[in-house]
C-alpha cells in the first residue's frame, strides 16, 4: 500500500468530460484520500459537480493484486488494479481503464480511457492540487 502514498491528501481541482477529444462538460472537484484500518485500505472520497464516489482500494497479499471498490448511489463494483511505472491503473474491463498518477508540479490526476478501434481514448480527467 505504501506505493500509493502519492495519492494521500486533500485535493481540489477540476473534473472534465471529453467527447470526441473535446471537453464537453467540466466542473469543480474535491477529493480526500486517506489510509484506514492501520493502512490496510486507502479510502477515496470524491465529490465533483458531475459525480460523487466513495472508493476503497485494498491490496491482497495472497494474489498480489490491488482491488478497487467504487461505491456510488447506484451501488458498488469491484475492479482489479496494478501499480506500474509510478501509477495505479484500474481495469474495469479489457477496454476501459482509470489511471491515477502524480503530476510534475506535485499535484495529482486521474483519467479514464476507453479502447476504441485499437486506440486508447481519454473520456474524463480530474486534475488536483493539494489543498493543505
Amino acid at each position: 500500500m505504501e506505493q500509493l502514498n502519492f495519492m494521500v491528501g486533500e485535493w481540489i481541482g477540476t473534473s472534465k468530460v471529453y467527447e470526441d477529444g473535446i471537453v464537453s462538460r467540466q466542473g469543480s472537484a474535491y477529493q480526500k484520500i486517506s489510509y484506514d484500518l492501520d493502512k490496510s485500505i486507502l479510502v477515496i472520497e470524491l465529490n465533483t459537480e458531475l459525480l460523487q464516489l466513495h472508493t476503497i482500494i485494498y491490496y491482497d497479499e495472497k494474489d498480489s493484486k490491488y482491488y478497487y471498490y467504487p461505491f456510488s448511489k447506484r451501488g458498488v463494483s469491484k475492479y482489479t488494479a496494478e501499480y506500474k511505472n509510478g501509477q495505479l491503473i484500474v481495469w474495469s474491463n479489457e477496454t476501459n481503464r482509470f489511471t491515477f498518477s502524480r503530476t510534475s508540479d506535485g499535484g495529482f490526476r486521474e483519467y479514464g480511457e476507453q479502447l476504441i478501434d485499437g486506440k486508447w481514448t481519454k473520456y474524463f480527467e480530474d486534475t488536483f492540487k493539494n489543498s493543505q
Side-chain angles (χ1 to χ4, degrees), residues 30-97:
Y30 169 78
Q31 189 161 228
K32 180 181 178 186
I33 303 175
S34 59
Y35 287 111
D36 202 358
L37 301 176
D38 294 327
K39 291 192 173 185
S40 63
I41 63 171
L42 192 66
V43 179
I44 302 172
E45 298 173 57
L46 173 69
N47 287 292
T48 74
E49 294 175 23
L50 310 172
L51 177 68
Q52 292 81 43
L53 283 178
H54 191 100
T55 302
I56 294 175
I57 299 173
Y58 169 73
Y59 183 76
D60 189 318
E61 303 247 350
K62 291 179 186 174
D63 61 9
S64 301
K65 288 185 182 177
Y66 286 96
Y67 290 96
Y68 180 92
Y69 300 90
F71 293 81
S72 72
K73 293 176 186 177
R74 294 176 284 151
V76 63
S77 298
K78 178 183 178 183
Y79 307 134
T80 59
E82 64 182 323
Y83 182 81
K84 188 175 182 180
N85 299 323
Q87 304 177 105
L88 181 70
I89 303 168
V90 178
W91 298 91
S92 60
N93 60 48
E94 292 177 1
T95 61
N96 195 68
R97 66 186 181 190

